[in-house]
Amino acid sequence: MHEHNTPSPWKSFWERGGWWKALVLVLVYYGVYQLGGVLLNLIFRGAGIEADSAPGIFVNVGLPIVLGSILLVILAWSVGWLKELFGRQAIRGRGWMWIAVAVVLLTNIFRFIALDYEKTGAALLFSWLLTGLFIGFAEEVLTRGFVVQLMRKAGHPEIAVALVSAALFAMLHAGNLFGGQGALATVVQVGYTFFFGLLMYLAYRVTGRLIVPILLHASTDPSIFLFSTNPSAASPLAPLAGPGNIIVILFGLVLLIVLIFSGGKDRAFARTELSGGPVGA
C-alpha cells in the first residue's frame, strides 16, 4: 500500500498558479524593498555615508535587494520550488533566441570596455558589481522565476508568459516616478526595462537555466550606471556603448514580433510540456 503526501494548502495555492498571484507577489516584493530601504536609511542616517559613494551604493541600493533575495529564497523553499526554479527547464527555446543573449552580453561588454577605470576606482567598481549580483538574482528569481512558473502552472501560452513577466518587471521600475524621477525619464525606463525583460525571458528559454539571465542582469546594472558617470572618452567602443539601451529596445521589439508570430507553436508546446507529454525543441 503506497502513501501519498498531500500538499499543504500553502503549496497547493502556489501550484495552481495564476497571473494575479504573480502580480500580487511582485507588488509585495516592491513594498518590502521600499520598506527595507526606508528602514536602512533610518539606521545609517547618522553614519555620514554619501549616496553615490561605494558604501552608499551598497547600503542604499544593495542591502534592500539582499533582504528581498533572502525572502524570495525562503518563499521558494517553503513551496518546494528551489529545484523547479534553478534546475533545467523542460520548456526550451529555439536558435533565434540566442540573439537575446548576444545583444545583452555585447552591450554590457562594450560599456565595461569603454569605462574609465581610473576615475571609477576599485571600491566603487566592486560595490556596483556586488550590488548588481544581488539585483540580478532577486529580480530574475522574481520575474523570470516565480512569475514564469505561476503563469505556466495556470496553463497560459508562452507568449503570455513572456509578456506578463516583462510587463511586471517593467512595472517594478515605474515606481521610480514616486521617488522623484521625472515622468519622461520614467516612461523611457519602463519601455527599456520591458524589452530588457523580454530579452531575459528569451535567454531563460533558450538556455533552460535561470542562472543565465541572473548573470546577464547582474552585469547590466553596474555597466549602465558606471558607464553613465565615468565613460572613457579615449575608448574606441564608447560610440557603441553609449546607445546600448536603444539597441536593447530595438532588438527587443524585433524579437517580440518574431515571438508573436511563433506564438501558436509556443502555445501547443507549453501545453504539451505542462501536461506531462513529450517535449519538443
Side-chain angles (χ1 to χ4, degrees):
M1 188 173 180
H2 298 283
E3 294 184 0
H4 298 281
N5 293 325
T6 303
S8 66
W10 174 251
K11 181 175 175 59
S12 297
F13 171 81
W14 292 102
E15 283 293 336
R16 287 191 293 270
W19 65 268
W20 66 271
K21 294 176 186 176
L23 173 61
V24 170
L25 179 60
V26 169
L27 290 175
V28 170
Y29 170 86
Y30 182 77
V32 170
Y33 169 76
Q34 292 296 328
L35 179 61
V38 171
L39 293 177
L40 288 168
N41 184 55
L42 292 175
I43 293 172
F44 289 97
R45 177 178 292 178
I49 300 176
E50 297 182 7
D52 57 352
S53 66
I57 293 297
F58 186 71
V59 168
N60 296 319
V61 181
L63 284 183
I65 295 285
V66 172
L67 173 62
S69 300
I70 293 172
L71 294 178
L72 287 172
V73 171
I74 292 174
L75 175 60
W77 170 79
S78 71
V79 297
W81 282 12
L82 284 174
K83 184 177 180 180
E84 196 163 352
L85 291 178
F86 296 102
R88 178 171 291 279
Q89 299 298 296
I91 298 180
R92 300 299 301 278
R94 301 179 182 86
W96 61 266
M97 294 179 180
W98 281 104
I99 296 174
V101 177
V103 167
V104 175
L105 184 61
L106 287 175
T107 53
N108 291 350
I109 289 174
F110 289 160
R111 281 190 288 254
F112 276 120
I113 292 178
L115 182 64
D116 188 335
Y117 286 93
E118 184 176 353
K119 183 180 178 181
T120 301
L124 186 61
L125 176 64
F126 176 77
S127 180
W128 261 118
L129 290 176
L130 182 60
T131 299
L133 184 60
F134 286 111
I135 293 174
F137 179 86
E139 294 187 357
E140 291 306 311
V141 169
L142 176 64
T143 56
R144 251 60 65 185
F146 277 102
V147 172
V148 166
Q149 291 298 328
L150 287 168
M151 291 292 291
R152 286 176 176 172
K153 288 178 182 295
H156 294 291
E158 283 300 299
I159 184 63
V161 175
L163 293 176
V164 170
S165 65
L168 292 182
F169 174 67
M171 188 185 72
L172 282 173
H173 299 81
N176 291 334
L177 180 64
F178 304 105
Q181 183 171 273
L184 179 59
T186 302
V187 169
V188 173
Q189 185 181 31
V190 168
Y192 163 76
T193 50
F194 174 83
F195 287 109
F196 178 81
L198 180 68
L199 296 186
M200 291 298 94
Y201 161 82
L202 294 175
Y204 186 33
R205 274 284 302 275
V206 75
T207 63
R209 293 285 187 180
L210 188 58
I211 187 62
V212 175
I214 286 175
L215 293 178
L216 286 173
H217 194 155
S219 62
T220 298
D221 288 64
S223 72
I224 290 175
F225 286 103
L226 290 172
F227 178 78
S228 65
T229 54
N230 302 307
S232 174
S235 174
L237 289 179
L240 292 174
N245 289 2
I246 297 176
I247 293 172
V248 166
I249 292 174
L250 292 177
F251 272 93
L253 180 59
V254 171
L255 295 182
L256 174 58
I257 294 172
V258 176
L259 186 63
I260 290 173
F261 276 101
S262 66
K265 188 175 181 181
D266 283 333
R267 179 189 295 270
F269 180 70
R271 287 177 175 172
T272 300
E273 190 278 333
L274 288 169
S275 65
V279 178

